[in-house]
Amino acid sequence: MNRRVALIGSCLLASYVALQAPATYAAEDYPKRTISIVCAFPPGSGADVLVRYFADRLAERAKTSVIVENKPGATGNIAATYVVRSKPDGYTIYLHGPQVIAANLNILKNPPFKPEDFQVVSYILRQAFMVSVPANSPVKTLPELTALLKQKGDKASYGVTAVHARIVGELYKQNAGVNPTQVLYRNSADSVNDMISGSLDFGVFDPVFAISQQREGRMRTVAIASGERMSTSPDIPTMQEGGVPEIDMVSFFAAMVPAATPRPIVEQLNVWFNQVVAAPETREFLARNGAEPYLVDADKGQAMFLQAVKDYKVYIQRAGIPQE
């Protein structure tokens, strides 16, 4: 009897060890192959520039190949759906704005994913969308743009791509008392020719795109949508400074994985992304592109994401964006 009990105990112990082994294995042996980072925008876009930078730096820390998979379309929903349906093994990472996912969850009547399908690894940066006009426009400030839009009425127009830009644009219209027509583009690059030709009076763009276009002499940025000036763009006044109250829309970028990804892998990725963001060259890169480093651990990042889902329900209602 004692031998039988001992044998059963040994079997139970072996089973327990076997059940616990995947987490230990994941922590010690990850990664063994190429990691994919998914970008929701096309090559050459502002988001793509950010994603490729972090992919290269992650490869250095993880000591493995890291490739970027561009899956644009449906305001990020194609990429997000691809990620949540991927194997939760740490080899598919989504670098995107948690607020954009939160907004899409509130805009779509039947979203193909739930908040609980994602696990935040780490927030990595904060930025704010910018209001830009064509470089040949007589407009130099946001008050001048507002005056022009009031003069043109519904004959005025502006370009947007991301959901965040759509919200900023709608809130600007409401708070400034203007009524330009919104033109929705597949990506920011598609709007450049219309901006240069004067078909658009202004656009709301991510800072990477807006700043690069200003450097190349195509556009002029007149305001930023954050409540306070960004330390990386101190010369760009806020929309509030330009006479448009109640606009304080800061967006973030985060690394996210499918929810069932083993915790040791999530924590290891958090360490690597923290190391990348803390590096001086990363801070210089972000500063050149109008962004600030922003680091949190996985638990706080997940809590911020889930709160954003609630917050953006209010923002979208205020902006009058209908469900699709």
Side-chain angles (χ1 to χ4, degrees):
M1 178 66 71
N2 289 339
R3 290 181 63 187
R4 288 183 62 192
V5 171
L7 180 60
I8 292 172
S10 297
C11 291
L12 290 173
L13 178 61
S15 298
Y16 175 79
V17 171
L19 289 172
Q20 296 302 310
T24 304
Y25 175 85
E28 294 178 353
D29 296 280
Y30 171 80
K32 280 188 170 182
R33 54 184 173 83
T34 298
I35 295 172
S36 294
I37 296 187
V38 177
C39 177
F41 296 92
S45 62
D48 181 68
V49 172
L50 293 174
V51 170
R52 290 184 186 277
Y53 176 89
F54 280 95
D56 290 343
R57 299 309 180 277
L58 177 62
E60 297 170 359
R61 268 74 181 178
K63 301 190 185 315
T64 192
S65 298
V66 179
I67 63 170
V68 175
E69 293 189 68
N70 295 90
K71 296 188 177 296
T75 62
N77 293 317
I78 291 175
T81 303
Y82 175 82
V83 171
V84 299
R85 292 178 179 174
S86 298
K87 189 175 180 179
D89 55 6
Y91 290 97
T92 303
I93 303 170
Y94 194 26
L95 250 61
H96 197 53
Q99 288 88 347
V100 177
I101 299 173
N104 287 337
L105 283 164
N106 285 289
I107 290 175
L108 298 176
K109 292 180 181 178
N110 298 297
F113 44 78
K114 307 182 297 297
E116 296 78 14
D117 291 333
F118 297 91
Q119 171 61 55
V120 172
V121 168
S122 176
Y123 276 54
I124 55 180
L125 63 87
R126 65 193 295 267
Q127 59 185 9
F129 276 63
M130 297 179 174
V131 178
S132 300
V133 299
N136 59 1
S137 170
V139 170
K140 300 294 192 299
T141 66
L142 189 64
E144 290 179 0
L145 176 61
T146 302
L148 175 67
L149 298 178
K150 287 182 176 179
Q151 177 185 343
K152 296 183 69 171
D154 57 9
K155 293 182 181 179
S157 62
Y158 68 105
V160 294
T161 53
V163 172
H164 208 86
R166 293 174 64 187
I167 294 173
V168 171
E170 290 295 335
L171 293 178
Y172 173 42
K173 290 164 64 174
Q174 292 177 19
N175 286 285
V178 295
N179 191 36
T181 300
Q182 181 190 96
V183 182
L184 182 60
Y185 290 85
R186 183 171 175 270
N187 59 72
S188 298
D190 290 345
S191 69
V192 172
N193 289 336
D194 288 344
M195 288 283 287
I196 294 174
S197 69
S199 298
L200 296 175
D201 294 287
F202 73 101
V204 182
F205 303 110
D206 69 82
V208 178
F209 182 80
I211 290 173
S212 67
Q213 293 302 307
Q214 179 163 298
R215 286 190 188 124
E216 294 176 14
R218 296 191 184 100
M219 298 182 192
R220 180 187 308 114
T221 297
V222 297
I224 193 167
S226 53
E228 298 178 350
R229 295 195 185 198
M230 299 288 286
S231 63
T232 51
S233 306
D235 56 328
I236 301 176
T238 68
M239 297 182 76
Q240 292 187 27
E241 290 178 82
V244 184
E246 299 183 19
I247 295 184
D248 184 2
M249 297 289 291
V250 175
S251 61
F252 297 86
F253 232 59
M256 310 178 80
V257 292
T261 302
R263 184 69 184 196
I265 291 179
V266 172
E267 292 175 350
Q268 179 61 76
L269 286 170
N270 178 272
V271 170
W272 285 333
F273 276 106
N274 283 359
Q275 290 173 348
V276 172
V277 175
E281 61 266 27
T282 298
R283 294 175 180 269
E284 292 173 6
F285 167 78
L286 294 178
R288 290 196 304 272
N289 291 286
E292 297 175 344
Y294 187 86
L295 288 171
V296 297
D297 60 30
D299 290 336
K300 183 176 180 181
Q302 188 73 3
M304 290 175 64
F305 168 56
L306 296 177
Q307 182 60 46
V309 175
K310 299 176 182 178
D311 293 342
Y312 271 75
K313 181 177 183 179
V314 178
Y315 294 148
I316 288 167
Q317 289 174 344
R318 286 183 57 197
I321 298 176
Q323 281 195 315
E324 301 172 355

